[in-house]
């Protein structure tokens, strides 16, 4: 009979070993042990007094798992510590040199029909005997003896059952199995294979994540312990895992040597270890073997669905798979240059294996990243990404990453129902997938639902507690809710976790602007630019904040710098707006129109850019020209309804509906203006009802009320905006939206108070301003 099949409890020395619960019980003490350790103990117990060889233990306890004698030694050593068998000579397990191990403590198999209370009572009697206290006088039993005489027989039996449960309930509860895959150490000469190592580590983690009963901590959190000699117990405490998987990889030509060990974080003991020598072409097989071995050691069942998920991650080409692993490394660096390198590598992988689903999804994701890094148009990205995702779905329909990336694309395309459906399906395929929770949070964020966004980002943080991106997103969601203390802590945590990532500083700058600390916003914005000096949106934000402080010349410097960095690429719509408005502010409307004519932008068909041109003409005092641009934008086949009433723009205090309404009203079309304002009002009411507290929303409320002819409502909303951090004095004085309010004393007083706040922010910047784009 194999150790795995023994169901009964055993009396071993003063301990009761119960394999049904994997517990060791002695008196009031109860310890939970690993299932494999229990099988080892029972294997020794059945041969009590006889030597059991290492080979026999490996065959019975580690059946089907590739391990060596070291695993037996480590497990026996750990078992001795649990049993308290640490003295010399031993009292439980004896090592017989070059032969094996022998259980020397008395061992008796307890009848399976014997009541649990009798079994546990026997152990307690032994425990009492070891202390020299007669069982009838045991201190643990006296409280029961006091109330026994007053009970009837039925009540007595119930009381004994309750007492036995309370007395003998386990003192520890087994945690659900969870694991962190630490970055494999590159042991190759010259450390030349780190990108391959990182990709291998991430994909190994992804293979394990296909096991539904195993929680796998995401890559970014596990990577936080790279090159740090941190004890496994500390890693388990920080990440909340029961185990860590660690090891090394050495590549010599086309041969891999991968050494892996599984360590329990409860006590730091090695549960299993193995080495694999294989051609690079068998990297996939090594990952699958490790996944099977981990599942075996953690007593996890691999279902048919899990095996199907494994199959979806395969490639027919070793070269394609190697290229994919290195591409993943570059994509995870989250820089423009690395993203472009990832695109090149994914394309090479698909040349080697045109049906490789993981590479198809990775390439689609890298194309989507160009939305941020290169300011690419979403329509262009969709043309590239959609065919790749469709091909991946045909060949690997159960690949969770496919649905996460497709949902991200759908969110950008404002296909909200489809995005939600894909994200929920991705989560059903892999509940471990932090990317799915994070993408769901972003979906809610751009749709103006900050509370749901926060819940999703918090879920992602549970799955990936050391991911700086998730903490930065939590910061944005909390600032949208007006919870500035929590947002500050989240942004600070993001900077701690990702000190080299531009995005965490960009998020910090957005948060500081949201609460009205423009000087702090500029400081963090400069830190973002220092790490990613080629992203137009970061320059556009900086210029806008300089304009809030009425530092128009500094805003123009930002535009000129961004224009130079962009090279042949056209500036995006927000940066174009900066160029137009700074030209007007510094040199008047003629200079603005001269620049506009020379740029060739007047022939654009992009509705977003047309609305920015309309807004610039409103500031320059030409509503007719503004109406022309706005009407072209409204008639554009590329204008989507959700762009016209965009929650994402509204939270920043921008709205195409407002621009359209102003051009319509100022050219005598009050009826159309009122229709546009009604749509805007409905959007703002929905956002506020959903918890949105950003000053931009209240600013839009004020502007809409003023255009409608409601000065009291406009002032009330503007005062609320100022209390939440609104600082856009220059725009309030130059845009036409507040024309109705400019003769009012309360408006002038509010503007003056905000101007003083801005002056305070400017003084904090001090001499740093002379450095232009420096902090």
């Amino acid at each position: 009979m194999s150790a795995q099949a023994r169901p009964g409890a055993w009396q071993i020395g003063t301990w009761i070993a119960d394999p049904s619960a994997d517990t060791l019980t002695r008196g009031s003490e109860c310890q939970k042990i690993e299932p494999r350790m229990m099988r080892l103990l029972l294997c020794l117990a059945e041969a009590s007094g006889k030597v059991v060889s290492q080979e026999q233990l490996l065959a019975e306890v580690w059946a089907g798992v590739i391990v060596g004698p070291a695993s037996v030694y480590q497990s026996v050593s750990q078992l001795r510590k649990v049993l308290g068998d640490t003295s010399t000579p031993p009292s439980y397990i004896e090592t017989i040199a070059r032969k094996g191990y022998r259980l020397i403590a008395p061992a008796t198999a307890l009848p399976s029909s014997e009541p649990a209370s009798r079994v546990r009572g026997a152990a307690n009697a032994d425990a009492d005997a070891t202390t020299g206290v007669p069982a009838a006088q045991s201190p643990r039993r006296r409280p029961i003896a006091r109330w026994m005489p007053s009970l009837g027989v039925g009540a007595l039996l119930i009381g004994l059952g309750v007492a036995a449960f309370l007395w003998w309930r386990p003192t520890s509860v087994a945690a659900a199995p969870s694991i962190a895959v630490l970055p494999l150490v590159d042991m190759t000469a010259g450390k030349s294979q780190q990108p391959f190592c990182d990709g291998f580590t991430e994909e190994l983690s992804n293979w394990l994540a296909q096991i539904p009963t195993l929680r796998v901590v995401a890559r970014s959190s596990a990577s936080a312990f790279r090159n740090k000699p941190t004890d496994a117990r500390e890693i388990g405490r920080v990440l909340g895992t029961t185990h860590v998987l660690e090891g090394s990889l050495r590549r010599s030509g086309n041969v891999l040597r991968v050494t892996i060990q599984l360590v329990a974080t409860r006590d730091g003991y090695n549960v299993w270890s193995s080495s694999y020598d294989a051609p690079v072409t068998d990297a996939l097989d090594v990952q699958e073997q490790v996944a099977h071995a981990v599942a075996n050691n953690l007593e996890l069942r691999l279902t048919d669905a899990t095996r199907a998920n494994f199959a979806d991650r395969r490639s027919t080409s070793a070269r394609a798979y190697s290229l994919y692993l290195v591409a993943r490394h570059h994509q995870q660096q989250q820089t423009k240059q690395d993203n472009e390198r990832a695109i090149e590598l994914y394309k090479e992988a698909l040349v080697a294996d045109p049906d490789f689903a993981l590479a198809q999804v990775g390439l689609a994701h890298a194309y989507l990243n160009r939305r941020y890094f290169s300011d690419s148009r979403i329509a262009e990205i969709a043309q590239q990404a959609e065919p790749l995702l469709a091909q991946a779905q045909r060949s690997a329909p159960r690949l969770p990453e496919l649905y996460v990336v497709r949902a991200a694309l759908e969110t950008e395309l404002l296909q909200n129902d489809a995005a939600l459906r894909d994200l929920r399906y991705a989560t059903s395929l892999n509940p471990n997938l932090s990317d799915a929770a994070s993408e769901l949070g972003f979906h809610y964020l751009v749709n103006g639902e900050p509370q749901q966004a926060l819940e999703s980002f918090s879920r992602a943080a549970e799955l990936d507690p050391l991911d700086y991106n998730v903490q930065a997103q939590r910061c944005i969601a909390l600032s949208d809710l007006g919870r500035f203390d929590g947002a500050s802590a989240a942004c600070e945590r993001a900077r701690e976790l990702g000190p080299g990532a531009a995005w965490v500083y960009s998020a910090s700058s957005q948060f500081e602007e949201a609460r009205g600390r423009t000087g702090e916003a500029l400081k963090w914005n400069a830190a973002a630019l220092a790490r990613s000096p080629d992203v137009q949106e970061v320059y556009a934000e900086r210029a806008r904040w300089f304009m809030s402080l009425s530092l128009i010349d500094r805003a123009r410097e930002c535009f000129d710098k961004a224009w130079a960095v962009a090279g042949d690429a056209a500036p995006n719509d927000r940066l174009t707006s900066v160029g137009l408005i700074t030209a007007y502010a510094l040199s008047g409307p003629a200079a603005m129109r001269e620049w506009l004519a020379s740029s060739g932008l007047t022939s654009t068909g992009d509705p977003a850019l047309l609305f920015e041109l309309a807004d610039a003409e409103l500031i320059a005092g030409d509503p007719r020209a503004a109406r022309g641009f706005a009407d072209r934008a409204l008639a554009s086949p590329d204008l989507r309804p959700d762009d016209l009433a965009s929650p994402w723009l509204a939270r920043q205090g921008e709205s195409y509906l407002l621009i359209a309404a102003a051009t319509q009203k100022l050219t005598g079309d009050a009826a159309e203006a009122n229709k546009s304002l009604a749509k805007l009002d409905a959007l703002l009411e929905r956002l506020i009802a959903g918890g949105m507290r950003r000053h931009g929303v209240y600013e839009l409320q004020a502007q809409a009320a003023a255009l409608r002819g409601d000065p009291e409502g406009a002032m009330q909303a503007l005062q609320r905006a100022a209390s939440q951090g609104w600082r856009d004095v220059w725009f309030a004085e130059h845009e036409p939206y507040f024309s109705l309010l400019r003769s009012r004393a309360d408006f002038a007083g509010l503007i003056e108070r905000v101007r003083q706040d801005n002056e305070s922010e400017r003084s904090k910047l001090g001499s740093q301003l002379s450095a232009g784009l420096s902090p």
Side-chain angles (χ1 to χ4, degrees), residues 161-230:
V162 172
F165 171 75
L166 293 175
W167 196 342
W168 292 105
R169 69 185 186 272
T171 57
S172 62
V173 178
S178 53
I179 194 167
V181 182
L182 304 184
L184 296 184
V185 178
D186 179 18
M187 301 297 290
T188 307
K191 306 291 183 182
S192 61
Q193 294 297 310
Q194 195 60 58
F196 182 87
C197 267
D198 289 348
F200 188 96
T201 302
E202 182 187 7
E203 192 55 19
L204 176 57
S205 179
N206 289 335
W207 277 70
L208 290 170
Q210 308 310 308
I211 304 172
T213 51
L214 177 65
R215 182 176 73 86
V216 181
V217 170
R219 173 203 60 83
S220 51
S221 288
S223 295
F225 295 95
R226 180 194 300 276
N227 300 326
K228 295 179 181 177
T230 310

Side-chain angles (χ1 to χ4, degrees), residues 553 555-566 575 578 582 595:
D553 53 343
R556 185 67 191 191
E557 287 177 15
C558 288
F559 172 78
D560 291 339
K561 178 67 173 178
W563 185 277
V565 167
L575 202 55
V578 170
T582 54
W595 181 84

Side-chain angles (χ1 to χ4, degrees), residues 9-330:
W10 283 68
Q11 173 85 45
I12 301 174
T14 59
W15 293 93
I16 294 293
D18 183 357
S20 66
D22 290 322
T23 56
L24 287 173
T25 307
R26 180 173 65 184
S28 61
E29 183 180 0
C30 184
Q31 294 200 47
K32 190 80 175 178
I33 64 174
E34 296 283 347
R36 195 174 301 281
M37 195 186 301
M38 176 61 74
R39 294 207 299 271
L40 172 63
L41 178 60
L42 296 189
C43 192
L44 293 171
E46 191 173 73
S48 179
K50 299 178 182 178
V51 177
V52 182
S53 68
Q54 288 184 344
E55 291 74 16
Q56 184 179 346
L57 289 173
L58 286 169
E60 290 204 22
V61 181
W62 282 271
V65 182
I66 303 173
V67 296
S71 294
V72 180
Y73 169 78
Q74 290 158 353
S75 294
V76 170
S77 176
Q78 187 176 359
L79 184 57
R80 282 172 170 154
K81 288 190 176 184
V82 172
L83 294 168
D85 187 21
T86 56
S87 60
T88 303
S91 55
Y92 277 88
I93 301 174
E94 182 181 23
T95 300
I96 308 300
R98 295 181 296 281
K99 292 185 178 181
Y101 301 92
R102 177 169 58 198
L103 184 71
I104 56 177
T108 304
L110 298 171
S112 59
S113 60
E114 190 164 356
S117 60
R118 293 265 316 271
V119 172
R120 288 165 178 159
N124 211 38
D126 286 343
D128 290 341
T130 61
T131 63
V133 180
Q137 298 178 14
S138 170
R140 295 296 301 270
R141 296 187 179 187
R142 285 178 187 160
I144 300 176
R146 287 181 183 154
W147 48 259
M148 272 187 189
S150 64
L151 298 175
V153 175
L156 175 60
L157 292 175
I158 294 172
L160 284 171
V162 172
F165 171 75
L166 293 175
W167 196 342
W168 292 105
R169 69 185 186 272
T171 57
S172 62
V173 178
S178 53
I179 194 167
V181 182
L182 304 184
L184 296 184
V185 178
D186 179 18
M187 301 297 290
T188 307
K191 306 291 183 182
S192 61
Q193 294 297 310
Q194 195 60 58
F196 182 87
C197 267
D198 289 348
F200 188 96
T201 302
E202 182 187 7
E203 192 55 19
L204 176 57
S205 179
N206 289 335
W207 277 70
L208 290 170
Q210 308 310 308
I211 304 172
T213 51
L214 177 65
R215 182 176 73 86
V216 181
V217 170
R219 173 203 60 83
S220 51
S221 288
S223 295
F225 295 95
R226 180 194 300 276
N227 300 326
K228 295 179 181 177
T230 310
D231 187 89
R233 290 167 290 188
E234 176 64 12
I235 296 174
R237 185 191 66 77
V238 173
L239 299 181
T241 62
T242 60
H243 296 79
V244 296
L245 195 69
E246 59 186 12
S248 63
L249 182 149
R250 184 193 305 273
R251 183 171 178 175
S252 178
N254 290 321
V255 178
L256 290 178
R257 180 174 179 81
V258 180
T259 301
I260 297 287
Q261 59 182 358
L262 180 67
V263 182
T265 59
R266 181 181 65 184
D267 46 28
Y269 279 95
N270 190 323
V271 176
W272 161 81
S273 62
S274 187
S275 295
Y276 302 84
D277 292 299
V280 173
T281 54
D282 292 343
L284 267 168
D285 292 332
V286 172
Q287 289 173 334
E288 186 166 3
Q289 287 179 53
V290 172
H292 278 276
V294 170
N296 221 336
N297 279 276
L298 297 183
E299 307 289 326
L300 301 173
R301 177 172 164 264
L302 296 182
T303 65
D304 290 341
T306 299
R307 294 185 179 91
N309 292 344
F310 284 172
D312 280 349
R313 309 191 76 81
R314 289 189 165 276
S315 170
T316 59
S317 165
R319 172 173 168 75
Y321 195 71
S322 294
L323 289 165
Y324 167 78
L325 294 181
V326 180
R328 285 299 301 163
H329 163 80
H330 284 285

Side-chain angles (χ1 to χ4, degrees), residues 614-625:
D615 191 48
E617 288 289 5
L618 286 173
I619 292 175
D622 191 341
R624 290 289 173 188

